[in-house]
Amino acid sequence: MTALPIVQQFDTTQPVASPRMQRSRGCGCIAAKRAGSGETRLDTLFQEGSARIRLPKSHSEGRLEAVLLNTSGGMTGGDRLDWRADAAAKTHLTLASQTAERLYRSPDGVATVDVRLSASEGAVLHWLPQETIMFDGGALHRKITVDLGADAELLICEPIVFGRTAMGETVRHGTLRDDWRIRRDGHLVHAEAFLIQGAIDARLTRKSIAGGLRAAATAILFSHCAEAFLERARAIIGEAGGASFFDGKLVCRLLAPDALALRQKLIPLLTTLRGGHALPRCWSC
């Protein structure tokens, strides 16, 4: 007897649920220690998911440089990246990203980036990722929390580009939220709360916001010598932005028409704020 094929019956009157999209997760942690020779060395390293940390060979006089990678190739709604970095007393740690981070259209939810940094007494910590490029419909909530020792130095910079003008891209709608909290000896010394959402391109066109410019960056230096860089920073930034020194910190804001124009100002500015030391090599790739 020949077996009859089994035919599965489906209820076509019921709606078919949309498949749940896969989301990326990543966590990378790095800690620096001071060697007996006085040079900065790797203490601990942890990475999982889409987060990767690479330690290129450096000729920067005992400083430690780390390059952060997101192997997912970009972020969209529901993706999450966590970065942790700790600079022990009297160490020098610089972190940069391998390339620009891409924020793609988010049909559901927002992408989340959570950064937690700490620098103990006498440490130098530089957080210098390359640009975040936002595409139309992108949504990102980024939180940066920093704990500094009594005389620790911090240089932090976050550039953002709203669409690639060379490709004719326009970010008509989206959401970008930035929350920064920086403390020294447990006391809040700086807070950033930035939100732009909805009709982003229309808002950037307003003179009171960006005057039609599509790239921006904030760079802040917490250091006992920060005030010495004030006039040089203003000269580099020019009229599209500004710099101010107060409460032991130098705050710089930059605007530019596109990513290239932003980098042409940002690279010499960050090099100046680093005391003339060149940026990590990935910035020039």
Side-chain angles (χ1 to χ4, degrees):
M1 180 181 293
T2 303
L4 296 177
I6 298 175
V7 179
Q8 185 175 2
Q9 299 293 324
F10 293 94
D11 185 355
T12 58
T13 64
Q14 298 297 321
V16 179
S18 300
R20 185 174 182 178
M21 302 298 291
Q22 183 176 3
R23 300 306 183 195
S24 69
R25 297 286 188 274
C27 179
C29 306
I30 184 172
K33 64 181 180 180
R34 183 178 173 86
S37 61
E39 296 183 343
T40 301
R41 292 286 182 264
L42 177 67
D43 187 13
T44 59
L45 177 67
F46 172 83
Q47 53 192 5
E48 69 175 1
S50 63
R52 293 291 183 269
I53 301 176
R54 296 294 181 261
L55 303 173
K57 291 183 179 180
S58 174
H59 305 283
S60 54
E61 302 175 0
R63 298 176 173 87
L64 181 63
E65 292 183 359
V67 179
L68 311 180
L69 296 81
N70 177 16
T71 60
S72 68
M75 301 188 72
T76 185
D79 293 347
R80 182 182 179 92
L81 274 177
D82 295 317
W83 298 111
R84 305 287 185 264
D86 175 64
K90 299 181 180 180
T91 60
H92 193 300
L93 175 61
T94 297
L95 302 107
S97 58
Q98 182 191 39
T99 186
E101 183 64 87
R102 287 161 174 78
L103 181 61
Y104 296 116
R105 183 175 66 89
S106 300
D108 183 29
V110 301
T112 303
V113 176
D114 186 75
V115 179
R116 297 182 183 272
L117 311 173
S118 61
S120 299
E121 182 179 355
V124 176
L125 178 61
H126 292 178
W127 173 260
L128 306 173
Q130 298 187 63
E131 305 90 346
T132 295
I133 301 176
M134 186 174 184
F135 290 78
D136 190 28
L140 173 67
H141 183 193
R142 179 170 53 204
K143 295 187 291 184
I144 301 178
T145 304
V146 188
D147 290 299
L148 300 175
D151 61 347
E153 176 183 308
L154 171 70
L155 174 59
I156 181 171
C157 178
E158 281 288 354
I160 177 73
V161 177
F162 295 95
R164 299 172 299 180
T165 57
M167 304 295 290
E169 297 170 352
T170 301
V171 181
R172 293 179 175 84
H173 293 86
T175 299
L176 174 65
R177 178 179 175 183
D178 248 336
D179 289 307
W180 299 12
R181 298 295 183 270
I182 302 173
R183 294 176 173 83
R184 188 182 292 279
D185 282 341
H187 301 287
L188 185 66
V189 293
H190 186 83
E192 295 258 330
F194 175 81
L195 173 64
I196 186 169
Q197 63 182 357
I200 287 182
D201 187 66
R203 286 176 167 80
L204 293 175
T205 303
R206 297 178 185 175
K207 291 184 178 180
S208 59
I209 297 180
L213 302 179
R214 297 294 185 269
T218 294
I220 307 177
L221 175 64
F222 296 80
S223 172
H224 67 276
C225 60
E227 188 174 12
F229 299 122
L230 177 60
E231 295 306 321
R232 176 59 179 155
R234 286 174 172 171
I236 295 172
I237 295 170
E239 295 182 358
S244 300
F245 175 81
F246 57 98
D247 294 338
K249 58 189 175 184
L250 176 62
V251 180
C252 304
R253 314 280 189 186
L254 298 84
L255 286 169
D258 53 39
L260 177 59
L262 182 66
R263 290 174 72 93
Q264 289 173 341
K265 290 188 176 183
L266 193 56
I267 290 176
L269 174 64
L270 294 177
T271 301
T272 297
L273 299 183
R274 281 165 56 87
H277 293 284
L279 291 174
R281 194 169 299 176
C282 55
W283 267 84
S284 59
C285 296

